[in-house]
Amino acid sequence: MIDRRTFARTVGLGLGAAAVPVGTAQAAAPGAPDGSDPTVRPGTAAGPGAPPAFGPLKRVRAGVLDVGYAETGPPHGPVVICLHGWPYDIHSFAAAAALLAEAGYRVIVPYLRGHGSTAFRSPATARNAQQSAVAVDVVALMDALGISRAVLAGFDWGARTACVVAALWPERVKALVSAGGYLVTDARAQRDPLPPKAERTWWYQFYFTTDRGLAALRNPQDRDDLCRLVWEEASPTWRFDDATFARTAAAFDNPDYAAVVVHNYRWRLGLADGERRYDRYERLLAARPPVGVPAIAVDPALDPFLPSTDGAAYRRFFTGPYEHRVLDGVGHNAPQEAPEAFAAAVADADRLRG
């Protein structure tokens, strides 16, 4: 494991990128007059030796959302957008973002819809989390911030979203890092059962198809207990403390959290409809379009959701410059469990050429 200073020397960049305007971005989200992160619960402040924390959050109007996001690094640096999954938040990238910022990148880490300080602009907008809707959010964010191209890096929902953007809008993606490889959802294939052992691993998806699961997500204590259990099962060797979980769990207090999470999993299982406005994208995604941008696929060796870590099952979907890496001793939350390795993958993907 290398420290941040060593990492910066190792991946140091010759920076010559043009200035990138920040569009309509504003200062910290309402409710944080002191500039602190409004999604951090009282009593969870970091102590000595705690992982890096983000500075004041920003907000920008982007598509159907007011997006809350963290930003670090030089404002004119090459852009990296880091995308979190469920049940996680932007803090999965706090340490990796600090490393990338020291290496000269402008790092943007948005809360996905239904999380943290990201809010729907209209109460009439469907609380929809189908894959193309979340991907359109990322493109809208880039437009709002005046970003023409960026490196996209993610895990879980974030990896799926990054893959969708890279497949449908490759002109917007300089390079891709995807934990778990090619994760574009084949909605039709999702209707077929997996082997029983694999189905058991995804138990919470079935829970969310029931009213009991929805009620659990709406009850703060049940929700936090459920999410913490998923953390423990998905990252069997990660020894996180109460403050680390509480810092992320604050993002689950979003009033749309339960609706967005439940819709994501019900839609993926074919039990909830998407929106007509996204039909054209889902038709394209049903064909499993390839990713032609430079890409590094990262497979955490201890991720229980991966049937294997050799990348063979999805290799054919990456048609551009490509590398595959295995993170030994790492579970599902790859950027938070192995921030140095994840940040190195981002920097290497940015330089990857065929």
Side-chain angles (χ1 to χ4, degrees):
M1 305 287 275
I2 59 177
D3 62 25
R4 291 191 293 169
R5 191 170 300 278
T6 302
F7 177 88
R9 290 199 303 268
T10 302
V11 304
L13 305 170
L15 297 179
V20 182
V22 295
T24 57
Q26 301 172 0
D34 60 352
S36 62
D37 184 339
T39 65
V40 175
R41 291 172 174 164
T44 63
F54 291 115
L57 299 185
K58 299 181 178 182
R59 290 175 70 92
V60 66
R61 179 173 291 185
V64 301
L65 302 174
D66 284 323
V67 178
Y69 66 99
E71 181 173 345
T72 186
H76 305 323
V79 180
V80 176
I81 299 177
C82 296
L83 302 169
H84 68 81
W86 183 88
Y88 307 96
D89 85 326
I90 62 173
H91 294 98
S92 287
F93 295 101
L99 294 170
L100 289 165
E102 286 195 15
Y105 286 97
R106 177 189 178 194
V107 186
I108 294 169
V109 192
Y111 281 111
L112 299 186
R113 53 173 57 196
H115 292 74
S117 54
T118 290
F120 287 90
R121 291 169 53 196
S122 169
T125 302
R127 274 38 179 176
N128 171 9
Q130 69 185 102
Q131 61 183 348
S132 57
V134 183
V136 167
D137 292 344
V138 174
V139 177
L141 175 64
M142 295 175 68
D143 289 344
L145 297 180
I147 297 168
S148 59
R149 297 175 74 220
V151 179
L152 300 187
F155 73 108
D156 197 87
W157 289 21
R160 177 172 296 103
T161 302
C163 286
V164 170
V165 176
L168 295 185
W169 297 281
E171 71 279 3
R172 307 301 299 271
V173 182
K174 188 179 180 184
L176 169 71
V177 174
S178 177
Y182 185 88
L183 295 180
V184 173
T185 296
D186 182 344
R188 186 176 299 276
Q190 286 280 102
R191 300 172 186 174
D192 298 328
L194 297 171
K197 186 175 181 180
E199 295 280 28
R200 182 177 64 181
T201 303
W202 298 99
W203 62 269
Y204 57 86
Q205 295 197 21
F206 302 109
Y207 188 38
F208 294 156
T209 68
T210 70
D211 290 341
R212 289 165 65 92
L214 178 59
L217 284 178
R218 287 174 170 166
N219 179 288
Q221 185 61 60
D222 290 342
R223 178 198 65 207
D224 288 2
D225 289 346
L226 185 157
C227 292
R228 185 162 185 147
L229 176 60
V230 173
W231 276 33
E232 293 168 351
E233 292 185 350
S235 299
T237 61
W238 183 34
R239 299 295 177 255
F240 59 88
D241 59 19
D242 291 343
T244 297
F245 178 78
R247 184 174 67 168
T248 286
F252 309 159
D253 290 333
N254 186 298
D256 297 311
Y257 183 79
V260 165
V261 171
V262 162
H263 184 269
N264 178 279
Y265 291 109
R266 291 183 181 181
W267 177 84
R268 285 165 59 184
L269 292 172
L271 301 176
D273 292 331
E275 288 182 85
R276 298 292 293 275
R277 71 171 83 180
Y278 302 111
D279 283 353
R280 65 188 187 276
Y281 303 131
E282 294 299 343
R283 284 194 293 269
L284 293 171
L285 294 171
R288 313 299 297 283
V291 171
V293 305
I296 293 181
V298 174
D299 281 340
L302 302 182
D303 189 338
F305 305 119
L306 295 177
S308 69
T309 58
D310 62 7
Y314 55 72
R315 176 64 184 89
R316 70 188 185 279
F317 295 111
F318 293 98
T319 58
Y322 173 80
E323 288 184 13
H324 176 265
R325 299 181 180 181
V326 176
L327 300 183
D328 291 329
V330 175
H332 189 64
N333 187 5
Q336 195 161 3
E337 296 180 63
E340 295 91 349
F342 197 88
V346 172
D348 291 345
D350 187 28
R351 296 190 296 245
L352 192 60
R353 299 293 181 267

